[in-house]
Amino acid sequence: MAEAAATMKNAVKAAGSGLAPAPRPVSTATTAAQAAQKAWLADLRRLTGQADEYGTSLITSARTYRATDQSNAHELRSSGAGVAQ
């Protein structure tokens, strides 16, 4: 997930403002392309932020899971549970 977010961030940087031709007076097509560029970049930035947040959430969850698992294993070993008597 972190790699996907990084790829998306790089795509936003690479795209910059080069997705549409330079504005020209009285050109409907250029005006539409400029609007599409702004909308695309805004959506890409939003998706990048969401992917980054999701990746952070996954990492946090994994760390919590690992810590809980280690704590439970330690308690289990300390209690002697599972030891043949």
Coordinates of all heavy atoms in Angstrom, one line a residue:
M1 N 0.8 -1.2 0.0 CA 0.0 0.0 0.0 C 0.9 1.2 0.0 O 0.6 2.2 -0.7 CB -0.9 -0.1 1.2 CG -2.1 0.8 1.1 SD -3.2 0.3 -0.2 CE -3.7 1.9 -0.7
A2 N 2.0 1.2 0.8 CA 2.9 2.3 0.8 C 3.5 2.6 -0.5 O 3.6 3.7 -1.0 CB 4.0 2.1 1.9
E3 N 3.8 1.5 -1.3 CA 4.4 1.7 -2.6 C 3.3 2.3 -3.6 O 3.7 3.1 -4.4 CB 4.9 0.3 -3.1 CG 6.1 -0.2 -2.5 CD 6.6 -1.5 -3.1 OE1 6.4 -1.8 -4.2 OE2 7.2 -2.3 -2.3
A4 N 2.1 1.9 -3.4 CA 1.0 2.4 -4.3 C 0.9 3.9 -4.0 O 0.8 4.7 -5.0 CB -0.3 1.7 -4.0
A5 N 0.9 4.3 -2.8 CA 0.8 5.7 -2.4 C 2.0 6.5 -3.0 O 1.8 7.6 -3.5 CB 0.6 5.9 -0.9
A6 N 3.2 5.9 -2.8 CA 4.4 6.6 -3.4 C 4.3 6.8 -4.9 O 4.6 7.8 -5.4 CB 5.6 5.8 -3.0
T7 N 3.8 5.7 -5.6 CA 3.6 5.8 -7.0 C 2.6 6.9 -7.4 O 2.9 7.6 -8.3 CB 3.2 4.4 -7.6 OG1 4.2 3.4 -7.3 CG2 2.9 4.5 -9.1
M8 N 1.6 7.0 -6.6 CA 0.6 8.0 -6.9 C 1.1 9.4 -6.7 O 0.9 10.3 -7.5 CB -0.7 7.7 -6.1 CG -1.4 6.5 -6.5 SD -2.7 6.0 -5.4 CE -3.9 7.3 -5.7
K9 N 1.9 9.5 -5.6 CA 2.5 10.9 -5.3 C 3.5 11.2 -6.5 O 3.5 12.4 -6.9 CB 3.3 10.8 -4.0 CG 2.5 10.8 -2.8 CD 3.3 10.7 -1.5 CE 2.4 10.5 -0.3 NZ 3.2 10.3 0.9
N10 N 4.2 10.3 -7.0 CA 5.1 10.6 -8.1 C 4.3 10.9 -9.3 O 4.8 11.7 -10.1 CB 6.0 9.4 -8.3 CG 7.1 9.2 -7.2 OD1 7.4 10.1 -6.6 ND2 7.6 8.0 -7.1
A11 N 3.2 10.3 -9.5 CA 2.4 10.6 -10.7 C 1.8 12.0 -10.6 O 1.8 12.7 -11.7 CB 1.2 9.6 -10.8
V12 N 1.5 12.5 -9.5 CA 1.0 13.8 -9.3 C 2.1 14.8 -9.6 O 1.9 15.8 -10.3 CB 0.4 14.1 -7.9 CG1 0.2 15.6 -7.6 CG2 -0.8 13.3 -7.6
K13 N 3.3 14.5 -9.1 CA 4.4 15.4 -9.4 C 4.8 15.4 -10.9 O 5.0 16.5 -11.4 CB 5.7 14.9 -8.6 CG 5.6 15.2 -7.1 CD 6.8 14.6 -6.4 CE 6.7 14.7 -4.9 NZ 7.8 14.0 -4.2
A14 N 4.8 14.2 -11.5 CA 5.1 14.1 -12.9 C 4.1 14.8 -13.8 O 4.5 15.4 -14.8 CB 5.3 12.7 -13.3
A15 N 2.8 14.7 -13.4 CA 1.8 15.3 -14.2 C 1.8 16.8 -14.2 O 1.7 17.5 -15.2 CB 0.4 14.8 -13.7
G16 N 2.1 17.3 -13.0 CA 2.1 18.8 -12.8 C 1.0 19.5 -13.5 O -0.1 19.1 -13.5
S17 N 1.4 20.5 -14.3 CA 0.4 21.2 -15.1 C 0.5 20.9 -16.6 O 0.0 21.6 -17.4 CB 0.5 22.7 -14.9 OG 1.8 23.1 -15.3
G18 N 1.2 19.8 -16.9 CA 1.4 19.4 -18.3 C 0.4 18.5 -18.9 O 0.6 17.9 -20.0
L19 N -0.8 18.4 -18.3 CA -1.8 17.5 -18.8 C -2.7 18.1 -19.9 O -3.3 17.5 -20.6 CB -2.7 17.0 -17.7 CG -2.1 16.1 -16.6 CD1 -3.0 15.8 -15.5 CD2 -1.6 14.8 -17.2
A20 N -2.7 19.4 -19.9 CA -3.6 20.2 -20.8 C -2.7 21.2 -21.5 O -1.7 21.7 -21.0 CB -4.7 20.8 -20.1
P21 N -3.2 21.6 -22.7 CA -2.5 22.7 -23.4 C -2.6 24.0 -22.7 O -3.5 24.2 -21.9 CB -3.1 22.7 -24.8 CG -4.5 22.1 -24.6 CD -4.3 21.1 -23.5
A22 N -1.7 24.9 -23.0 CA -1.8 26.3 -22.4 C -3.1 26.9 -22.8 O -3.6 26.7 -23.8 CB -0.6 27.1 -22.9
P23 N -3.6 27.7 -21.8 CA -4.9 28.4 -22.1 C -4.8 29.3 -23.4 O -3.7 29.9 -23.6 CB -5.1 29.3 -20.9 CG -4.2 28.7 -19.8 CD -3.1 28.1 -20.5
R24 N -5.8 29.3 -24.2 CA -5.9 30.2 -25.3 C -7.3 30.9 -25.3 O -8.3 30.3 -25.0 CB -5.8 29.3 -26.6 CG -4.5 28.5 -26.7 CD -4.5 27.7 -28.0 NE -3.6 26.6 -27.9 CZ -2.3 26.7 -28.3 NH1 -1.9 27.7 -28.8 NH2 -1.6 25.6 -28.2
P25 N -7.2 32.1 -25.7 CA -8.5 32.8 -25.8 C -9.5 32.2 -26.8 O -9.1 31.7 -27.8 CB -8.1 34.2 -26.2 CG -6.7 34.2 -26.4 CD -6.1 32.9 -26.2
V26 N -10.7 32.1 -26.4 CA -11.8 31.6 -27.2 C -11.7 30.2 -27.7 O -12.2 29.8 -28.7 CB -12.2 32.6 -28.4 CG1 -12.6 33.9 -27.9 CG2 -11.0 32.7 -29.4
S27 N -10.9 29.4 -27.0 CA -10.8 28.0 -27.3 C -11.6 27.1 -26.3 O -11.1 26.9 -25.2 CB -9.3 27.5 -27.3 OG -9.3 26.1 -27.5
T28 N -12.7 26.6 -26.7 CA -13.6 25.8 -25.9 C -12.9 24.5 -25.5 O -12.9 24.1 -24.3 CB -14.9 25.5 -26.6 OG1 -15.5 26.8 -26.9 CG2 -15.8 24.8 -25.7
A29 N -12.2 23.9 -26.4 CA -11.5 22.7 -26.2 C -10.4 22.9 -25.2 O -10.2 22.0 -24.2 CB -10.9 22.1 -27.5
T30 N -9.6 23.9 -25.3 CA -8.5 24.2 -24.3 C -9.1 24.5 -22.9 O -8.6 24.0 -21.9 CB -7.7 25.4 -24.8 OG1 -7.1 25.0 -26.0 CG2 -6.6 25.6 -23.8
T31 N -10.2 25.2 -22.9 CA -10.8 25.5 -21.6 C -11.3 24.2 -20.9 O -11.1 24.0 -19.7 CB -12.0 26.5 -21.8 OG1 -11.5 27.7 -22.4 CG2 -12.7 26.8 -20.5
A32 N -11.9 23.3 -21.7 CA -12.4 22.1 -21.2 C -11.2 21.2 -20.7 O -11.3 20.5 -19.7 CB -13.2 21.3 -22.3
A33 N -10.1 21.2 -21.5 CA -9.0 20.4 -21.1 C -8.3 21.0 -19.8 O -7.9 20.2 -19.0 CB -7.9 20.4 -22.2
Q34 N -8.3 22.3 -19.7 CA -7.8 22.9 -18.4 C -8.7 22.5 -17.2 O -8.1 22.1 -16.2 CB -7.8 24.4 -18.6 CG -6.7 24.9 -19.5 CD -5.3 24.8 -19.0 OE1 -5.1 24.9 -17.8 NE2 -4.4 24.6 -19.9
A35 N -10.0 22.5 -17.4 CA -10.9 22.1 -16.3 C -10.7 20.6 -16.0 O -10.7 20.2 -14.8 CB -12.3 22.3 -16.7
A36 N -10.6 19.8 -17.0 CA -10.3 18.3 -16.8 C -9.0 18.1 -16.1 O -8.9 17.2 -15.2 CB -10.4 17.6 -18.1
Q37 N -8.0 18.8 -16.4 CA -6.7 18.7 -15.8 C -6.8 19.0 -14.3 O -6.3 18.3 -13.4 CB -5.7 19.7 -16.4 CG -4.4 19.8 -15.6 CD -3.4 20.8 -16.2 OE1 -2.9 20.5 -17.3 NE2 -3.3 21.9 -15.6
K38 N -7.5 20.1 -14.0 CA -7.7 20.5 -12.6 C -8.5 19.4 -11.8 O -8.1 19.1 -10.7 CB -8.4 21.8 -12.4 CG -7.5 23.0 -12.9 CD -8.2 24.3 -12.8 CE -7.4 25.4 -13.3 NZ -8.1 26.7 -13.4
A39 N -9.5 18.9 -12.4 CA -10.3 17.9 -11.8 C -9.5 16.6 -11.6 O -9.6 16.0 -10.5 CB -11.6 17.6 -12.6
W40 N -8.8 16.2 -12.6 CA -8.0 15.0 -12.5 C -6.9 15.1 -11.4 O -6.7 14.2 -10.6 CB -7.3 14.7 -13.9 CG -6.3 13.6 -13.8 CD1 -5.0 13.7 -14.0 CD2 -6.5 12.2 -13.5 NE1 -4.4 12.5 -13.8 CE2 -5.3 11.5 -13.5 CE3 -7.7 11.4 -13.2 CZ2 -5.1 10.2 -13.3 CZ3 -7.5 10.1 -13.0 CH2 -6.3 9.5 -13.0
L41 N -6.2 16.2 -11.4 CA -5.2 16.4 -10.4 C -5.8 16.4 -9.0 O -5.2 15.9 -8.0 CB -4.3 17.6 -10.7 CG -3.4 17.5 -11.8 CD1 -2.7 18.8 -12.1 CD2 -2.3 16.4 -11.6
A42 N -6.9 17.0 -8.8 CA -7.6 17.1 -7.5 C -8.0 15.7 -7.0 O -7.7 15.3 -5.9 CB -8.8 18.0 -7.5
D43 N -8.5 14.9 -8.0 CA -8.9 13.5 -7.6 C -7.7 12.7 -7.3 O -7.7 11.9 -6.4 CB -9.7 12.9 -8.7 CG -11.2 13.3 -8.7 OD1 -11.7 13.8 -7.7 OD2 -11.9 13.1 -9.8
L44 N -6.6 12.8 -8.1 CA -5.4 12.1 -7.9 C -4.8 12.4 -6.5 O -4.4 11.5 -5.8 CB -4.4 12.3 -9.0 CG -3.2 11.4 -9.1 CD1 -3.6 9.9 -9.1 CD2 -2.4 11.7 -10.3
R45 N -4.8 13.7 -6.2 CA -4.3 14.1 -4.8 C -5.1 13.5 -3.7 O -4.6 13.1 -2.7 CB -4.2 15.6 -4.8 CG -3.1 16.2 -5.5 CD -3.0 17.8 -5.3 NE -2.0 18.3 -6.2 CZ -2.3 19.0 -7.3 NH1 -3.5 19.3 -7.7 NH2 -1.3 19.5 -8.0
R46 N -6.5 13.5 -3.9 CA -7.4 13.0 -2.9 C -7.1 11.5 -2.7 O -7.0 11.0 -1.6 CB -8.8 13.3 -3.3 CG -9.9 12.7 -2.3 CD -11.3 12.9 -2.8 NE -11.5 12.4 -4.1 CZ -11.7 11.1 -4.5 NH1 -11.7 10.2 -3.5 NH2 -11.9 10.8 -5.7
L47 N -7.0 10.8 -3.8 CA -6.8 9.3 -3.8 C -5.4 9.0 -3.2 O -5.3 8.1 -2.4 CB -6.9 8.7 -5.2 CG -8.3 8.6 -5.8 CD1 -8.2 8.2 -7.3 CD2 -9.2 7.7 -5.0
T48 N -4.5 9.8 -3.5 CA -3.1 9.6 -2.9 C -3.2 9.8 -1.4 O -2.6 9.0 -0.7 CB -2.1 10.6 -3.5 OG1 -2.1 10.4 -4.9 CG2 -0.7 10.5 -2.9
G49 N -3.9 10.8 -1.0 CA -4.0 11.0 0.5 C -4.7 9.8 1.2 O -4.3 9.4 2.2
Q50 N -5.8 9.3 0.5 CA -6.5 8.2 1.1 C -5.7 6.9 1.1 O -5.7 6.2 2.1 CB -7.8 8.0 0.3 CG -8.8 9.1 0.5 CD -10.1 8.9 -0.4 OE1 -10.0 8.2 -1.4 NE2 -11.2 9.5 0.0
A51 N -4.9 6.7 0.0 CA -4.0 5.5 0.0 C -3.0 5.6 1.1 O -2.6 4.6 1.8 CB -3.4 5.4 -1.4
D52 N -2.4 6.8 1.3 CA -1.4 7.0 2.3 C -2.0 6.8 3.7 O -1.4 6.1 4.5 CB -0.8 8.4 2.2 CG 0.5 8.6 2.9 OD1 1.3 7.7 2.9 OD2 0.7 9.7 3.4
E53 N -3.2 7.3 3.9 CA -3.8 7.1 5.2 C -4.1 5.6 5.5 O -4.0 5.1 6.6 CB -5.1 7.9 5.3 CG -4.9 9.4 5.5 CD -6.2 10.2 5.4 OE1 -7.3 9.6 5.6 OE2 -6.1 11.4 5.1
Y54 N -4.6 5.0 4.4 CA -4.9 3.5 4.5 C -3.7 2.7 4.8 O -3.7 1.8 5.7 CB -5.6 3.0 3.3 CG -6.0 1.6 3.3 CD1 -7.0 1.2 4.3 CD2 -5.5 0.7 2.5 CE1 -7.4 -0.2 4.3 CE2 -5.9 -0.7 2.5 CZ -6.8 -1.1 3.4 OH -7.2 -2.4 3.5
G55 N -2.6 3.0 4.2 CA -1.3 2.4 4.4 C -0.8 2.6 5.8 O -0.4 1.6 6.5
T56 N -1.0 3.8 6.3 CA -0.6 4.1 7.7 C -1.5 3.3 8.7 O -1.0 2.7 9.7 CB -0.7 5.6 8.0 OG1 0.2 6.3 7.1 CG2 -0.4 5.9 9.4
S57 N -2.7 3.2 8.4 CA -3.7 2.4 9.2 C -3.3 0.9 9.2 O -3.3 0.3 10.3 CB -5.1 2.6 8.7 OG -6.0 1.8 9.4
L58 N -2.9 0.4 8.1 CA -2.5 -1.0 8.0 C -1.3 -1.3 8.8 O -1.2 -2.3 9.5 CB -2.3 -1.4 6.5 CG -3.5 -1.6 5.6 CD1 -3.1 -1.9 4.2 CD2 -4.4 -2.7 6.2
I59 N -0.3 -0.4 8.7 CA 0.9 -0.5 9.5 C 0.6 -0.5 11.0 O 1.1 -1.3 11.8 CB 1.9 0.6 9.1 CG1 2.5 0.3 7.7 CG2 3.1 0.6 10.1 CD1 3.3 1.5 7.1
T60 N -0.2 0.5 11.4 CA -0.6 0.6 12.8 C -1.3 -0.7 13.3 O -1.0 -1.2 14.4 CB -1.5 1.8 13.1 OG1 -0.8 3.0 12.7 CG2 -1.9 2.0 14.5
S61 N -2.2 -1.2 12.5 CA -2.9 -2.4 12.9 C -2.0 -3.6 13.0 O -2.1 -4.4 13.9 CB -4.0 -2.7 11.8 OG -5.0 -1.7 11.8
A62 N -1.0 -3.7 12.1 CA -0.1 -4.8 12.1 C 0.8 -4.7 13.4 O 1.1 -5.7 14.0 CB 0.8 -4.8 10.8
R63 N 1.2 -3.5 13.7 CA 2.0 -3.4 14.9 C 1.2 -3.7 16.2 O 1.8 -4.3 17.1 CB 2.6 -1.9 15.0 CG 3.7 -1.7 14.0 CD 4.2 -0.3 14.0 NE 5.3 -0.1 13.0 CZ 5.6 1.0 12.5 NH1 5.0 2.2 12.9 NH2 6.6 1.1 11.6
T64 N 0.0 -3.3 16.2 CA -0.9 -3.6 17.3 C -1.1 -5.1 17.4 O -1.0 -5.7 18.5 CB -2.2 -2.8 17.2 OG1 -2.0 -1.4 17.2 CG2 -3.1 -3.2 18.4
Y65 N -1.4 -5.7 16.3 CA -1.6 -7.2 16.3 C -0.3 -7.9 16.8 O -0.4 -8.8 17.6 CB -1.9 -7.6 14.9 CG -2.1 -9.1 14.7 CD1 -3.4 -9.6 14.9 CD2 -1.1 -9.9 14.4 CE1 -3.6 -11.0 14.8 CE2 -1.3 -11.3 14.3 CZ -2.6 -11.8 14.5 OH -2.8 -13.2 14.4
R66 N 0.8 -7.5 16.3 CA 2.1 -8.1 16.7 C 2.3 -7.9 18.2 O 2.7 -8.9 18.9 CB 3.3 -7.6 15.9 CG 4.6 -8.3 16.3 CD 5.8 -7.8 15.5 NE 5.9 -6.3 15.7 CZ 6.5 -5.5 14.8 NH1 7.0 -6.0 13.7 NH2 6.6 -4.2 15.0
A67 N 2.1 -6.7 18.7 CA 2.3 -6.5 20.1 C 1.4 -7.3 21.0 O 1.8 -7.9 22.0 CB 2.2 -5.0 20.4
T68 N 0.1 -7.4 20.6 CA -0.9 -8.1 21.3 C -0.5 -9.6 21.3 O -0.6 -10.3 22.3 CB -2.3 -7.9 20.7 OG1 -2.6 -6.5 20.8 CG2 -3.3 -8.7 21.5
D69 N -0.1 -10.1 20.1 CA 0.3 -11.5 20.0 C 1.5 -11.8 20.9 O 1.5 -12.8 21.5 CB 0.6 -11.8 18.5 CG 0.7 -13.3 18.3 OD1 -0.1 -14.1 18.7 OD2 1.8 -13.6 17.6
Q70 N 2.5 -11.0 20.9 CA 3.7 -11.2 21.7 C 3.3 -11.2 23.2 O 3.8 -12.0 23.9 CB 4.7 -10.2 21.4 CG 5.4 -10.4 20.0 CD 6.3 -9.3 19.6 OE1 6.3 -8.2 20.2 NE2 7.1 -9.5 18.6
S71 N 2.5 -10.2 23.6 CA 2.1 -10.1 24.9 C 1.3 -11.4 25.4 O 1.5 -11.9 26.5 CB 1.2 -8.9 25.1 OG 0.7 -8.8 26.5
N72 N 0.4 -11.8 24.5 CA -0.4 -13.0 24.9 C 0.5 -14.2 24.9 O 0.3 -15.1 25.8 CB -1.5 -13.2 23.9 CG -2.6 -12.2 24.0 OD1 -2.8 -11.6 25.1 ND2 -3.4 -12.0 23.0
A73 N 1.4 -14.3 24.0 CA 2.4 -15.5 24.1 C 3.2 -15.5 25.3 O 3.4 -16.5 26.0 CB 3.3 -15.4 22.8
H74 N 3.6 -14.3 25.7 CA 4.4 -14.2 27.0 C 3.6 -14.6 28.2 O 4.1 -15.3 29.0 CB 4.9 -12.7 27.1 CG 5.7 -12.5 28.4 ND1 6.9 -13.0 28.7 CD2 5.3 -11.8 29.5 CE1 7.3 -12.7 29.9 NE2 6.3 -12.0 30.4
E75 N 2.3 -14.1 28.2 CA 1.5 -14.5 29.3 C 1.2 -16.0 29.3 O 1.2 -16.6 30.4 CB 0.1 -13.7 29.2 CG 0.3 -12.2 29.6 CD -1.0 -11.5 29.5 OE1 -2.1 -12.1 29.7 OE2 -1.0 -10.3 29.2
L76 N 1.0 -16.5 28.2 CA 0.8 -18.0 28.1 C 2.0 -18.8 28.6 O 1.8 -19.7 29.3 CB 0.4 -18.4 26.6 CG -0.1 -19.8 26.4 CD1 -1.3 -20.1 27.1 CD2 -0.3 -20.0 24.9
R77 N 3.2 -18.4 28.2 CA 4.4 -19.1 28.6 C 4.6 -18.9 30.1 O 5.0 -19.8 30.8 CB 5.6 -18.5 27.8 CG 5.7 -19.1 26.4 CD 7.0 -18.7 25.8 NE 7.2 -17.3 25.6 CZ 6.8 -16.6 24.5 NH1 6.2 -17.3 23.5 NH2 7.0 -15.3 24.4
S78 N 4.3 -17.7 30.6 CA 4.5 -17.4 32.0 C 3.5 -18.2 32.9 O 3.9 -18.6 34.0 CB 4.3 -15.9 32.3 OG 5.3 -15.2 31.6
S79 N 2.3 -18.4 32.4 CA 1.3 -19.1 33.2 C 1.6 -20.6 33.2 O 1.0 -21.4 34.0 CB -0.1 -18.8 32.6 OG -0.3 -19.5 31.4
G80 N 2.4 -21.1 32.3 CA 2.7 -22.5 32.2 C 1.6 -23.3 31.5 O 1.6 -24.5 31.5
A81 N 0.7 -22.6 30.9 CA -0.4 -23.3 30.2 C 0.2 -24.0 29.0 O 1.2 -23.5 28.3 CB -1.4 -22.2 29.7
G82 N -0.3 -25.2 28.7 CA 0.2 -26.0 27.6 C 1.3 -26.8 28.0 O 1.8 -27.6 27.1
V83 N 1.8 -26.7 29.2 CA 3.0 -27.6 29.6 C 2.4 -28.9 30.1 O 1.6 -28.9 31.0 CB 3.8 -26.8 30.7 CG1 4.9 -27.7 31.2 CG2 4.3 -25.5 30.2
A84 N 3.0 -30.0 29.6 CA 2.5 -31.3 30.0 C 2.9 -31.5 31.5 O 4.0 -31.2 31.9 CB 3.1 -32.4 29.1
Q85 N 2.0 -32.1 32.3 CA 2.3 -32.3 33.7 C 2.3 -33.8 34.0 O 1.7 -34.6 33.6 CB 1.3 -31.6 34.6 CG 1.5 -30.1 34.4 CD 0.5 -29.3 35.3 OE1 -0.1 -29.8 36.2 NE2 0.5 -28.0 35.1

